[in-house]
Amino acid sequence: MSKKIKLLAIISLIVFCFAMFGACELKYGEPDSLNIAQQSVGQRIWIGLQVAFLGIATVFVVLLVLIGFVILLKYLMILLNKMSQLKLKKPAKQEPVQIVIEDTVKDEIAENEDEVVAAITAALMAYYDAEQKIKYESNVSFVVRSIKKINR
């Protein structure tokens, strides 16, 4: 915001406040309904303490209501979380699946066992070779020339 707009906003706020307070008539010399102006100092202090206690009590009651509301929301969220977990835990009942391997398949596996072992070994070697390339290649722009132990 520019300085002119800020200044204009402050001036308009001041004018608005003067207009609001100017519209209210405050008669400080008139007695109130409790006749506080005519009471003794002790009675005035007692009324002030009553007003202070009432204000503090109101603040604490509202605070307790807010704490209760937050606790209620906490338990509500826990309940909703448990309900959603129960919905997720109830999968459709499935029948157990049994795998049957015939004797001919077992014989084929036994005959091709050397080929299977060679294929698995080649796959593992390719995986570890690729992993090492990824592990040792980096974009670091410095080189370590020497390492010295520091005695502390």
Side-chain angles (χ1 to χ4, degrees), residues 29-38:
E30 293 182 8
D32 55 16
S33 62
L34 296 176
N35 294 326
I36 295 175
Q38 297 171 355

Side-chain angles (χ1 to χ4, degrees), residues 96-102:
V97 178
Q98 294 180 354
I99 300 174
V100 179
I101 300 176
E102 296 180 15

Side-chain angles (χ1 to χ4, degrees), residues 54-99:
L54 193 65
I56 292 171
T58 303
V59 167
F60 279 107
V61 166
V62 171
L63 183 63
L64 289 174
V65 169
L66 287 174
I67 289 172
F69 183 70
V70 169
I71 291 171
L72 180 70
L73 282 177
K74 178 181 120 179
Y75 288 122
L76 181 67
M77 295 306 265
I78 290 171
L79 180 68
L80 289 175
N81 191 14
K82 285 183 181 179
M83 289 176 61
S84 66
Q85 287 179 355
L86 288 176
K87 287 181 182 178
L88 294 176
K89 286 184 179 179
K90 293 183 181 178
K93 291 187 177 181
Q94 297 177 353
E95 306 246 347
V97 178
Q98 294 180 354
I99 300 174

Side-chain angles (χ1 to χ4, degrees), residues 120-136:
I120 291 173
T121 305
L124 287 173
M125 292 303 291
Y127 173 76
Y128 286 123
D129 187 43
E131 185 180 82
Q132 286 181 353
K133 286 181 183 176
I134 292 171
K135 191 182 290 184
Y136 295 120

Side-chain angles (χ1 to χ4, degrees), residues 28 46 127 147:
Y28 294 106
W46 178 246
Y127 173 76
I147 299 174

